[in-house]
Amino acid sequence: AQSVTQLGSHVSVSEGALVLLRCNYSSSVPPYLFWYVQYPNQGLQLLLKYTTGATLVKGINGFEAEFKKSETSFHLTKPSAHMSDAAEYFCAVSNTGGFKTIFGAGTRLFVKA
Amino acid sequence: GAGVSQTPSNKVTEKGKYVELRCDPISGHTALYWYRQSLGQGPEFLIYFQGTGAADDSGLPNDRFFAVRPEGSVSTLKIQRTERGDSAVYLCASSPRADTGELFFGEGSRLTVL
């Protein structure tokens, strides 16, 4: 069975500061890993994904994440937060083949001026 | 339309009533997924269709929940004898190929059971 744990239901950063959202996963098979973002009153949209190959993946809006197998982690980072980054972020895992995606509980990011 | 369309966007019903929620996926997407999102939680997998058939319905909570996709496009999630605990946002997602794992979500149908 697969599962996802997101550490911290709420994260607050100042504008221009580093964003770090933590995600750990559990999977008995090589995983596919995803970060989705949900802006207020909008549907979830894919931010970035890891399937195979390079472990550092880049996504939209300057976000990136690194797959660390030894730590079973897939933390999301952005060097400099912008007010428009305020949203809820979901880490997700699926098995190789991607047929069933399991989501974490989400982390709400607040950005202070 | 360009994206996944879900109707109704809001549905209020009384306990014990029957409800249908509709999902119109992105044209050409063969895979379709239903998720349920309760307040403060991440999306919870319900069912996945590949074409017309339900490839994995292991997330349906009980036999009051049923989903169909008769022509391999539009899908309907059906909930019988609704209970207050069914109140949630029901999300539909589609994917061009199931093996990418990349989901395109609609905005959801918010169900409130009084």
Side-chain angles (χ1 to χ4, degrees):
Chain A
Q2 297 177 304
S3 65
V4 174
T5 302
Q6 292 184 239
L7 299 177
S9 58
H10 297 83
V11 170
S12 182
V13 300
S14 297
E15 194 172 22
L18 171 72
V19 175
L20 171 60
L21 304 183
R22 299 177 186 274
C23 172
N24 288 89
Y25 70 91
S26 172
S27 178
S28 57
V29 298
Y32 286 7
L33 294 160
F34 309 84
W35 277 97
Y36 283 82
V37 60
Q38 187 172 30
Y39 297 105
N41 300 316
Q42 294 186 27
L44 282 84
Q45 63 182 97
L46 183 68
L47 202 54
L48 50 78
K49 67 177 181 181
Y50 166 80
T51 54
T52 58
T55 57
L56 181 64
V57 293
K58 296 184 184 299
I60 60 173
N61 300 336
F63 283 93
E64 61 183 35
E66 186 171 12
F67 169 56
K68 292 187 176 180
K69 184 178 178 180
S70 61
E71 299 178 7
T72 61
S73 69
F74 191 58
H75 302 330
L76 181 71
T77 60
K78 180 174 180 178
S80 177
H82 192 272
M83 297 296 288
S84 61
D85 295 327
E88 186 138 27
Y89 293 80
F90 294 94
C91 183
V93 62
S94 69
N95 55 340
T96 306
F99 298 109
K100 180 176 175 180
T101 303
I102 304 300
F103 286 81
T107 297
R108 184 165 294 278
L109 176 66
F110 297 92
V111 182
K112 301 174 291 186
Chain B
V4 176
S5 177
Q6 292 189 246
T7 54
S9 55
N10 276 286
K11 175 70 177 180
V12 180
T13 191
E14 294 179 342
K15 180 175 178 294
K17 299 291 188 182
Y18 171 80
V19 166
E20 287 190 353
L21 306 175
R22 175 189 166 105
C23 174
D24 200 341
I26 293 172
S27 178
H29 281 197
T30 59
L32 185 146
Y33 303 77
W34 284 99
Y35 283 81
R36 178 169 69 175
Q37 188 174 18
S38 301
L39 194 63
Q41 301 295 318
E44 173 194 6
F45 172 82
L46 297 178
I47 187 170
Y48 147 62
F49 288 89
Q50 179 60 45
T52 60
D56 185 341
D57 64 357
S58 61
L60 294 177
N62 50 59
D63 62 5
R64 296 186 299 104
F65 288 75
F66 190 70
V68 295
R69 195 187 186 198
E71 298 178 356
S73 179
V74 171
S75 176
T76 304
L77 178 65
K78 308 180 181 195
I79 311 173
Q80 298 178 321
R81 303 183 304 278
T82 52
E83 300 178 356
R84 293 193 179 88
D86 298 335
S87 296
V89 177
Y90 289 82
L91 302 173
C92 178
S94 68
S95 182
R97 284 167 40 201
D99 63 354
T100 66
E102 182 173 341
L103 306 178
F104 294 80
F105 281 88
E107 293 187 9
S109 292
R110 181 178 298 278
L111 174 65
T112 303
V113 182
L114 301 177

